[in-house]
Amino acid sequence: MSGLILTLKKELKVPLDASIISPTNLVGKTIDEVKNLELWEGNKKVKINEIFHVEGENKEEDLTIKLVGDFSKARGLGFKMNGGKLIIDGNAGLRLGEKMSGGLIKVKGNAGSWVGSEMTGGTIEIERNAGDFIGAGYRGGRKGMKGGKIIVKGNCGVEAGAWMINGIIKVYGNAGIFPGIHMKGGTIFIKGNCEGRAGAEMKDGKIVILGFLPSVLPSFDIDDIKDSVKVEEEKISGPFYLFTGDLNEEGIGKLYVSINSNPQLKFWEEFLERVI
Amino acid sequence: MSEILIKNGFVFDPLNNINGEKMDIFIKDGKIVDKVSSKAKVIDASNMVVMPGGVDIHSHIAGSKVNAGRILRPEDHVKDFEVKTKVTRSGVGYSVPSTFTTGYRYAKMGYTTVFEPATPPLKTRHTHEELRDIPIIDKGCFPLLGNNWFIMEYLKENKLEECAAYVSWLLNAIKGYAIKIVNPGGTEAWGWGKGISHLDEEVPYFNVTPKEIVRWLCKINNILNLPHPIHVHTNNLGKPGNYVTTIETMDAVKDLSKDGKVSIHVTHVQFNGFAGTSWLNLASGAPEIANYINKNTHVEIDIGQVTFSDTTTMTADGPFQYILYLLSREKWVNADVEAETGAGVVPFRYKKSNYVNAIQWGIGLELALLIKDPWKIHMTTDHPNGGPFTHYPKVIAWLMSRKAREKTLNKINKNAKRRLDLPGIDREYTLYEIAIITRAATAKSLGLKNKGHLGVGADADVAIYNLNYKSLDPSKDYKLIKKAFKQTAYTIKDGEIVAKNGEIVSSSKGKIYWVNSKVAEDIQKSMLNNLKMKFEEYYTVKMENYIINESYLHNSFMLNVQSEV
Amino acid sequence: MEKIINNVVCTVCGCCCDDLEVKIKDGKIVEVKNACAVSLSKFQNYNGKERIVKPLIKENGEFKECDLKEAIEKASKILAEAKYPLIYGLSLTSTEAIGKAVELAEALGGVIDNTTSVCHGPSLIGVHDIGSVTCTLGEVKNRADLIIYWASNPVFSHPRHLARYTVFSKGKFRKERRERKLVVVDVRKTATAKLADMFIQVAPNQDYELLSALRMAVKGEEIYLNEVAGVPTSKIEELADLMISCEFGILFFGLGLTMSLGKSRNIDAALSLVRDLNERTKFLIMPMRGHYNVTGANEVIAWQTGYPFAVDFSQGYPRYNPGETTTIELLTRGECDAALIVGSDPAAHFPVSAVKHLMKIPVITIDPHKNATTLISTVVIPTAITGIEAGGTVYRMDGVPLECKKLVEPPLGLKSDEEIITEILVNVKKLKE
């Protein structure tokens, strides 16, 4: 295949600031130019070719970069990328695809926390598990991802989509607590189980949970029972309890919870009449 | 020690009536002198403007609420950082910069003295720890006294002399510089979640009024002969129609002007210059306030200009900050201080398209342009409330150039533009007047005899700007004005070159100024005797631990002031 | 020769009581008045057999005594050569010392963090998102008629808190116990709960749910469930009524909230609850900071760098991201290659995965006492104890700064934390040139 292949020369011991590694930054550069780019390894500046073997060719406008090795200590891969493909044949570290606006990132292993933090476009696919705060934002900023798509085929940690504004997050495994906390828009889809507190303090947006959710917060109202719900263009079959909230934030967010997976939530049905 | 000769610059030194004259400035041993030897380092200031270093009379740079602002807003710092150099420490900026960055950025702009205008006495040790960590500039702080329990009780019991002795003791105890009053009585009412909305309303439990508090502290200021008048953030800040309260407050101390001197400094008047009855019909109260100030000699103000940015509001006006939270639904920090005062911090974004913000922008400029005597005006943004201090060059450009104002007027909310008088105001500030409102008048108001001018004996704090005064048309070339005031060609502090073309070349500690107020020993003793028991009843610290030793300040400058009692 | 030093600031917990009376005879502390049991225990035992008096360097697995110069040089070399060194601890020393540690971290291009990250870090993280409605302790003493301790047991952790600042204190507007109400929310009936007018037992790890329900009740919204977090809804509504109808309420909270399921979001909910209450009455919140200067550490690190803890200087300027730059996560991911521990014992308290990495890297410890961390260190530098043998500024849990005194001379002329860190800094700067 055409494109660049960067293979780790050695095990990373201290954190690597890998934010320069994205198609956006490397496109159009010769191999030598790429080799001479600098990045921080802990508190020392090093050149790319001290950390990576660089091979391949950089001809395409739409550059594909393949990374080979364990990148668990590489932070910020794909930072601000706006096109092209970044494939990681291994694990990825923190802040993968931070502020991304276009293109595709694929991770064959696990990814750390803050996948797609403040992203506005593009797609990130994680084959295995992801850490906490996927699709969220920086502390105190009160704004998470604004667009784009994050797909985690394994499990994700806590606070997926915290302060999310728009975009779509899909987790095919299980999710930790507080998915969609302080959410303002967008969609979070959890195929597996959720540890709890889904949609806490949300103002708007949509959360769909197909698996087990131990309880729903007391600040949510039960609105209806729905046969199905749309996630992107796909129709997901229910039936679902539809909750709205978080009332503590005057929220009008929608929380869809699978009825079949959650017999312990049946008691909420008695409150359905009250809403009418 | 080192000598410097600044050659051929166009000097603006209003306190010595020098208006753009081409002349040399001589520096030796950290002071301005009248000649130097041939060994002096020569700075060629040809085609440049030379001014005394800037003196900022009101900027929130240090202390508990400023730090609460820093901690509140990691997202404010992340985009604006300073990498360490051989000479400078690293830091972060934007609206609540870290301490090292604060000192460096002020020095780069040619400012050499800055005062923190609001420190709660109980926590002033914190303020001094931060001031110690602000490099280069000289500093001081104003203790908050307008909601102080002891003062309100002395007032109720009409014990003027004893209260004067208390204030004198307090200034010494916490190493403060001037009497600061914020929302007199109002912040105490806020201790119960309540507010005060007019000058004759009684403070719950203490039963004194804001007007009484202001007059009382003005009298004490006179008795103690303090170098700076009472520094007042009036009641009803941020409320439509509040310009009336502002004028009433100014008028309340007209008769207390001692020897024709200024009896009140009203701060960030823009926030207290609102006309109208609601946010929908908010208008500028600047013409009315300017009219009052033009007719009177006992008042001076600083403007508190809005500069249209994302910034952080922080004041000791707890109730106002709560209202701002309710309006904006931003994050909100509140920090009441026992027996003394309060504080609040709320991030805020001023937008040109927003009717209210645009009116606010207009009010600040109208105040400066309609008040005839520049000696009565100080240029501030009430950093960071109206905007970060790094925006001062914008304000200077607006004041010096009608064209610069027009450019912004064409971008602001159209209804606001229609409502303001500003579009019809032709006046443009001269460089001489800018020198007055950014250094000469402020230094004079603070009673800093060796600052704000370049006469022999003054501290060698000098700012050299890249402005070819003779070939400059500031009205047209406002962009050059902005550029020049953003970073000096040279900033000199105590006779050392600290900044060159936007780079800090040498750092230093800067002094902390405080007033050592002296009253008669027997009055002091008797006051302390009466104070001791109540002190430990009201506070949760011991009196001994409240007091800050001079050595704590590391580099202190004590101003001895003898009182009338 | 005997003398009495008054108004001594205690350097144990976040109360920072400043009314201690210390009697000194022949250069030794013989009596302390007004100290609580915990404070007294520090004064009585600080010079026990765990006290280290000579610097130590580990060679071939064995500790050898050495002089200070040698220890400092070795420590400086280890730190200066590291690519991602960590400075941690710092809550049991003065702000002057911590400020020097910040300068050292900047010179090293490393990370500086303090015990906040395992204690009230979540509280600060909550504040970043919501803000905080708070006050100094004297406001509580003078005005509060409703005091709530949530997930905090001050009778054990802050023994004089109730007497000096809350229910047993005498204030200008509340002179007697009966003028105040005490509510305790905890997972079990603690010693503090036994003193309460109302005790609410919350199911473990369900504080967030309870806070959520309480917010609903305060807003006047109906709670459908009969019970939330093991608490009957009627009880929740009773508490909400108490909160709304008080004149001045305060919510103190402890590690039970910061370290149970939800962490910073538990605090987020508590901060939001208190903020919302201000639409009805005067209500404030305060974290029960544990160590006597953990608050000060946050303050000084924040004014010098913009951020309150976990600051990464590796690229020459301050960067902050708890979870990325905090100590336990850095150690668990195995990312540090040297550590300087000041006045803390992470080897004893941290999760095994973090300690495992700490044992792989060279560790320098500055501490007056032997502990698990000194055991695994390469260099151990003993120090004068702040508040007893060295002075300095400390910040009470409510942000009030106090100056603690030097009461007696340290043994064998031991230096203070500030002096030792400064010497390391000077050496490091020379090595880095």
Side-chain angles (χ1 to χ4, degrees):
Chain A
M1 68 157 231
S2 81
L4 289 171
I5 302 178
L6 271 60
T7 310
L8 269 177
K9 274 184 178 174
K10 53 171 183 171
E11 189 194 345
L12 294 172
K13 295 266 171 156
V14 295
L16 187 71
D17 182 344
S19 49
I20 201 171
I21 300 178
S22 81
T24 308
N25 291 329
L26 303 190
V27 76
K29 289 192 163 63
T30 65
I31 300 281
D32 274 334
E33 281 172 335
V34 171
K35 283 184 179 178
N36 276 309
L37 288 171
E38 285 191 326
L39 57 169
W40 288 96
E41 187 190 14
N43 58 17
K44 298 220 163 12
K45 270 229 158 112
V46 295
K47 290 203 184 345
I48 288 251
N49 75 341
E50 291 177 58
I51 312 273
F52 300 99
H53 290 294
V54 183
E55 28 180 1
E57 45 184 15
N58 198 352
K59 291 212 186 108
E60 313 276 327
E61 246 179 57
D62 209 23
L63 173 64
T64 295
I65 303 174
K66 185 167 166 189
L67 299 176
V68 181
D70 183 356
F71 288 83
S72 306
K73 296 204 170 97
R75 301 178 185 173
L77 286 161
F79 176 69
K80 283 193 175 168
M81 78 186 248
N82 63 14
K85 293 194 183 66
L86 181 62
I87 318 276
I88 297 148
D89 199 349
N91 299 323
L94 304 172
R95 296 186 283 106
L96 173 77
E98 180 183 7
K99 298 200 171 147
M100 177 182 189
S101 56
L104 169 68
I105 300 179
K106 247 181 138 107
V107 178
K108 303 231 171 119
N110 300 314
S113 298
W114 287 290
V115 169
S117 177
E118 294 182 29
M119 72 190 286
T120 55
T123 303
I124 304 178
E125 284 175 19
I126 315 289
E127 290 297 316
R128 294 179 61 199
N129 301 323
D132 304 319
F133 315 120
I134 63 175
Y138 185 69
R139 305 287 184 187
R142 314 209 311 175
K143 55 178 173 126
M145 71 190 277
K146 269 195 187 161
K149 186 160 33 180
I150 300 175
I151 300 175
V152 179
K153 297 197 178 154
N155 307 324
C156 78
V158 307
E159 300 194 28
W163 295 101
M164 185 174 184
I165 297 170
N166 213 343
I168 170 135
I169 295 176
K170 284 177 166 173
V171 179
Y172 295 152
N174 304 323
I177 47 165
F178 288 127
I181 183 160
H182 283 294
M183 196 174 174
K184 296 185 255 193
T187 304
I188 299 176
F189 170 74
I190 299 167
K191 194 167 179 201
N193 306 325
C194 172
E195 205 184 335
R197 301 177 182 166
E201 297 170 74
M202 76 191 294
K203 280 191 122 70
D204 205 341
K206 180 158 69 181
I207 303 175
V208 178
I209 302 177
L210 287 190
F212 180 70
L213 175 72
S215 63
V216 172
L217 288 168
S219 47
F220 276 73
D221 231 341
I222 184 159
D223 203 39
D224 207 348
I225 288 181
K226 295 285 199 196
D227 291 328
S228 65
V229 65
K230 257 191 162 178
V231 173
E232 286 188 294
E233 289 315 307
E234 194 188 335
K235 195 164 144 186
I236 313 274
S237 289
F240 295 101
Y241 292 125
L242 167 57
F243 296 91
T244 57
D246 183 324
L247 297 173
N248 282 328
E249 300 292 323
E250 281 91 42
I252 52 170
K254 293 184 163 67
L255 172 63
Y256 292 82
V257 186
S258 156
I259 296 186
N260 296 337
S261 305
N262 292 288
Q264 82 289 359
L265 296 179
K266 195 165 169 69
F267 71 92
W268 277 94
E269 288 178 25
E270 77 174 85
F271 305 128
L272 267 172
E273 288 74 48
R274 281 203 223 176
V275 174
I276 300 166
Chain B
M1 241 190 80
S2 48
E3 296 178 302
I4 300 180
L5 162 57
I6 305 173
K7 237 180 141 40
N8 286 330
F10 297 114
V11 177
F12 289 86
D13 183 2
L15 279 166
N16 293 308
N17 293 307
I18 297 169
N19 186 353
E21 223 179 285
K22 188 192 258 198
M23 58 188 274
D24 295 342
I25 302 287
F26 308 97
I27 294 172
K28 186 180 173 180
D29 294 343
K31 293 275 188 193
I32 306 288
V33 293
D34 53 14
K35 64 177 190 286
V36 287
S37 73
S38 54
K39 293 199 217 101
K41 176 181 169 70
V42 177
I43 293 178
D44 182 4
S46 305
N47 301 321
M48 294 193 195
V49 163
V50 178
M51 289 191 183
V55 176
D56 195 346
I57 198 168
H58 187 114
S59 178
H60 297 278
I61 53 173
S64 163
K65 73 175 183 303
V66 178
N67 220 25
R70 292 185 186 106
I71 294 174
L72 179 69
R73 303 204 67 188
E75 80 285 0
D76 172 83
H77 315 319
V78 103
K79 288 172 276 196
D80 183 9
F81 54 85
E82 298 273 359
V83 178
K84 75 172 183 196
T85 67
K86 278 200 164 50
V87 180
T88 60
R89 299 283 305 271
S90 68
V92 297
Y94 212 60
S95 71
V96 209
S98 53
T99 48
F100 307 123
T101 304
T102 300
Y104 302 140
R105 285 189 178 179
Y106 260 114
K108 286 183 199 178
M109 281 170 54
Y111 273 83
T112 50
T113 304
V114 180
F115 274 76
E116 161 56 58
T119 178
L122 178 63
K123 289 172 149 187
T124 296
R125 191 178 294 276
H126 179 165
T127 309
H128 284 302
E129 278 217 277
E130 290 199 23
L131 289 177
R132 286 178 345 196
D133 275 348
I134 297 179
I136 301 174
I137 56 178
D138 288 338
K139 322 142 268 240
C141 59
F142 304 159
L144 291 153
L145 300 182
N147 289 279
N148 177 298
W149 284 12
F150 305 94
I151 290 173
M152 288 195 287
E153 286 182 352
Y154 283 125
L155 166 54
K156 189 77 194 164
E157 295 163 29
N158 204 19
K159 293 184 173 158
L160 186 59
E161 243 177 47
E162 200 174 336
C163 191
Y166 168 73
V167 172
S168 165
W169 170 83
L170 193 147
L171 280 170
N172 294 357
I174 58 103
K175 304 299 178 283
Y177 194 85
I179 295 176
K180 176 68 184 290
I181 300 169
V182 171
N183 191 357
T187 304
E188 167 50 33
W190 177 244
W192 297 109
K194 301 191 165 35
I196 293 237
S197 50
H198 65 90
L199 291 181
D200 296 311
E201 194 178 331
E202 287 197 342
V203 180
Y205 297 107
F206 292 91
N207 302 120
V208 293
T209 69
K211 188 184 283 177
E212 288 168 345
I213 294 171
V214 175
R215 283 184 59 81
W216 187 250
L217 286 168
C218 186
K219 285 185 191 163
I220 288 174
N221 201 309
N222 287 340
I223 291 173
L224 297 179
N225 282 320
L226 297 179
H228 182 54
I230 49 169
H231 196 110
V232 182
H233 157 148
T234 55
N235 304 88
N236 290 327
L237 182 133
K239 294 195 193 143
N242 64 11
Y243 81 89
V244 173
T245 309
T246 307
I247 294 177
E248 272 177 14
T249 308
M250 292 176 183
D251 211 40
V253 291
K254 181 169 171 168
D255 64 314
L256 295 174
S257 165
K258 195 173 161 186
D259 307 324
K261 283 199 274 190
V262 170
S263 60
I264 184 170
H265 174 110
V266 184
T267 187
H268 46 65
V269 174
Q270 172 271 124
F271 291 105
N272 292 84
F274 294 179
T277 54
S278 76
W279 296 120
L280 294 174
N281 66 13
L282 190 75
S284 168
E288 288 81 357
I289 293 177
N291 195 31
Y292 182 86
I293 294 177
N294 285 334
K295 292 201 192 116
N296 285 284
T297 55
H298 70 282
V299 193
E300 70 183 28
I301 67 160
D302 71 81
I303 56 175
Q305 180 62 30
V306 159
T307 60
F308 291 125
S309 69
D310 175 25
T311 188
T312 308
T313 66
M314 53 176 66
T315 68
D317 196 337
F320 160 70
Q321 298 291 159
Y322 179 53
I323 291 170
L324 193 59
Y325 153 70
L326 289 173
L327 286 171
S328 65
R329 294 292 168 175
E330 262 288 354
K331 14 193 199 176
W332 167 46
V333 167
N334 178 83
D336 299 328
V337 179
E338 64 210 59
E340 292 181 351
T341 181
V345 182
V346 175
F348 195 79
R349 182 185 287 270
Y350 294 97
K351 294 195 191 138
K352 294 190 184 91
S353 58
N354 179 291
Y355 174 76
V356 169
N357 300 161
I359 295 279
Q360 286 184 273
W361 171 81
I363 292 173
L365 293 176
E366 282 181 6
L367 282 166
L369 294 165
L370 293 173
I371 294 172
K372 298 191 182 121
D373 181 359
W375 289 96
K376 293 176 176 168
I377 302 165
H378 305 153
M379 187 192 87
T380 62
T381 59
D382 188 21
H383 163 85
N385 287 285
F389 66 80
T390 44
H391 288 185
Y392 287 172
K394 270 197 216 180
V395 183
I396 294 174
W398 281 323
L399 290 173
M400 291 188 76
S401 161
R402 190 185 175 170
K403 202 162 154 231
R405 298 196 290 268
E406 265 166 20
K407 188 156 181 250
T408 307
L409 275 164
N410 289 332
K411 294 186 188 160
I412 65 169
N413 177 291
K414 292 201 169 24
N415 288 326
K417 182 179 174 184
R418 263 188 292 248
R419 205 71 204 272
L420 291 167
D421 286 347
L422 188 63
I425 299 177
D426 285 333
R427 179 180 173 195
E428 291 174 329
Y429 266 63
T430 62
L431 268 176
Y432 188 78
E433 291 172 325
I434 294 291
I436 292 172
I437 68 173
T438 57
R439 44 213 84 207
T442 46
K444 181 166 177 241
S445 169
L446 288 164
L448 295 167
K449 297 205 161 51
N450 295 328
K451 301 251 184 247
H453 73 98
L454 295 173
V456 169
D459 290 345
D461 296 345
V462 190
I464 304 173
Y465 297 103
N466 240 320
L467 268 180
N468 192 339
Y469 166 60
K470 285 295 180 206
S471 71
L472 181 73
D473 179 359
S475 180
K476 260 180 51 210
D477 303 323
Y478 65 85
K479 290 198 177 146
L480 286 177
I481 299 278
K482 254 204 271 189
K483 189 165 178 225
F485 279 100
K486 257 200 178 136
Q487 59 187 48
T488 57
Y490 295 87
T491 305
I492 297 167
K493 179 80 184 62
D494 294 316
E496 296 286 328
I497 300 172
V498 291
K500 252 164 100 168
N501 293 319
E503 196 193 319
I504 299 291
V505 297
S506 144
S507 188
S508 57
K509 254 193 161 321
K511 301 182 283 293
I512 298 180
Y513 278 67
W514 63 279
V515 163
N516 183 20
S517 160
K518 299 196 179 118
V519 298
E521 220 182 288
D522 54 324
I523 295 182
Q524 176 93 299
K525 243 177 142 182
S526 129
M527 179 277 301
L528 278 174
N529 262 333
N530 298 338
L531 180 67
K532 209 159 199 295
M533 212 180 74
K534 220 202 262 186
F535 187 99
E536 298 187 356
E537 218 184 283
Y538 289 173
Y539 280 116
T540 49
V541 302
K542 291 286 191 178
M543 204 147 107
E544 182 194 334
N545 294 325
Y546 188 84
I547 296 171
I548 302 170
N549 291 323
E550 188 182 5
S551 58
Y552 193 79
L553 273 48
H554 288 186
N555 192 5
S556 131
F557 187 102
M558 176 174 77
L559 201 72
N560 283 307
V561 178
Q562 187 63 48
S563 87
E564 305 285 329
V565 299
Chain C
M1 220 214 44
E2 212 178 80
K3 65 173 171 175
I4 295 190
I5 305 182
N6 286 313
N7 306 321
V8 169
V9 176
C10 174
T11 49
V12 178
C13 82
C15 279
C16 295
C17 303
D18 75 330
D19 62 346
L20 269 55
E21 262 177 49
V22 177
K23 189 191 276 184
I24 297 172
K25 193 170 174 187
D26 299 326
K28 286 202 166 71
I29 296 174
V30 294
E31 192 186 331
V32 183
K33 284 195 178 152
N34 294 333
C36 70
V38 184
S39 171
L40 205 55
S41 150
K42 174 171 179 174
F43 280 104
Q44 287 169 342
N45 299 313
Y46 74 90
N47 236 351
K49 56 183 170 64
E50 269 74 36
R51 189 77 198 256
I52 310 172
V53 285
K54 284 228 84 165
L56 305 163
I57 292 182
K58 194 183 266 175
E59 270 164 30
N60 303 316
E62 298 252 328
F63 276 117
K64 264 180 59 188
E65 281 186 0
C66 63
D67 65 26
L68 185 61
K69 187 162 179 285
E70 208 187 323
I72 300 244
E73 275 169 8
K74 179 131 182 129
S76 308
K77 187 162 184 289
I78 290 171
L79 292 169
E81 285 172 357
K83 282 192 188 172
Y84 201 65
L86 165 70
I87 302 179
Y88 175 77
L90 298 170
S91 301
L92 293 173
T93 184
S94 65
T95 48
E96 289 84 354
I98 301 165
K100 281 290 171 212
V102 173
E103 196 176 348
L104 178 58
E106 185 190 70
L108 289 171
V111 177
I112 181 165
D113 193 14
N114 83 321
T115 63
T116 300
S117 67
V118 300
C119 173
H120 273 279
S123 305
L124 289 171
I125 292 169
V127 170
H128 293 326
D129 273 351
I130 307 293
S132 157
V133 184
T134 192
C135 60
T136 62
L137 286 164
E139 286 286 276
V140 178
K141 174 179 99 158
N142 285 317
R143 304 189 209 254
D145 59 335
L146 174 63
I147 290 140
I148 305 178
Y149 287 106
W150 193 308
S152 168
N153 186 12
V155 168
F156 283 1
S157 63
H158 299 75
R160 294 179 76 202
H161 202 259
L162 279 71
R164 275 176 67 81
Y165 309 124
T166 71
V167 279
F168 298 126
S169 69
K170 188 167 165 185
K172 179 173 166 75
F173 300 107
R174 312 283 174 209
K175 299 216 189 306
E176 296 177 31
R177 169 69 182 89
R178 61 187 169 78
E179 295 176 72
R180 310 185 199 257
K181 279 215 159 49
L182 174 64
V183 176
V184 171
V185 181
D186 212 317
V187 296
R188 54 190 173 87
K189 198 160 196 180
T190 60
T192 311
K194 294 196 177 118
L195 302 170
D197 298 302
M198 184 195 283
F199 167 59
I200 293 184
Q201 187 158 4
V202 58
N205 288 311
Q206 291 189 40
D207 298 84
Y208 186 87
E209 280 73 14
L210 181 55
L211 284 163
S212 183
L214 203 46
R215 283 184 76 190
M216 290 280 282
V218 161
K219 279 178 188 284
E221 295 270 2
E222 191 186 345
I223 303 167
Y224 293 149
L225 315 164
N226 284 331
E227 186 186 89
V228 176
V231 183
T233 302
S234 56
K235 195 93 184 162
I236 298 174
E237 282 165 354
E238 197 187 326
L239 176 57
D241 277 334
L242 208 58
M243 293 171 99
I244 295 167
S245 57
C246 77
E247 269 193 330
F248 185 113
I250 178 119
L251 171 61
F252 291 103
F253 65 95
L255 260 56
L257 266 190
T258 64
M259 290 296 145
S260 63
L261 183 68
K263 293 202 177 164
S264 71
R265 296 304 177 188
N266 292 338
I267 314 310
D268 177 322
L271 292 166
S272 302
L273 167 65
V274 168
R275 180 200 61 199
D276 292 346
L277 274 162
N278 277 275
E279 291 185 40
R280 313 292 295 269
T281 185
K282 183 77 178 179
F283 221 98
L284 305 113
I285 188 168
M286 193 186 304
M288 295 288 283
R289 303 307 298 270
H291 290 314
Y292 69 88
N293 202 23
V294 63
T295 305
N298 295 137
E299 297 283 2
V300 63
I301 298 174
W303 80 61
Q304 291 196 350
T305 73
Y307 309 108
F309 64 108
V311 179
D312 176 333
F313 281 106
S314 62
Q315 297 184 14
Y317 66 96
R319 295 185 304 146
Y320 166 79
N321 192 14
E324 177 176 343
T325 55
T326 32
T327 299
I328 291 195
E329 285 79 10
L330 284 174
L331 291 175
T332 321
R333 291 194 306 263
E335 289 177 346
C336 298
D337 57 347
L340 170 63
I341 310 291
V342 183
S344 183
D345 194 7
H349 300 132
F350 277 11
V352 172
S353 51
V355 181
K356 272 196 178 144
H357 183 76
L358 202 57
M359 293 179 68
K360 287 192 202 148
I361 61 178
V363 175
I364 298 122
T365 300
I366 298 176
D367 205 292
H369 299 114
K370 272 187 238 166
N371 56 33
T373 308
T374 59
L375 268 179
I376 64 163
S377 299
T378 304
V379 181
V380 180
I381 303 177
T383 174
I385 296 177
T386 307
I388 299 180
E389 300 161 347
T393 308
V394 303
Y395 285 68
R396 203 167 70 179
M397 61 163 65
D398 59 351
V400 171
L402 293 159
E403 196 167 14
C404 66
K405 299 182 167 105
K406 175 177 174 173
L407 305 170
V408 292
E409 288 300 321
L412 292 174
L414 283 180
K415 294 196 172 169
S416 68
D417 297 320
E418 187 186 349
E419 289 168 315
I420 293 170
I421 295 172
T422 304
E423 286 190 34
I424 297 177
L425 173 63
V426 167
N427 269 283
V428 162
K429 279 187 173 163
K430 276 198 214 125
L431 289 169
K432 290 250 179 192
E433 263 163 28

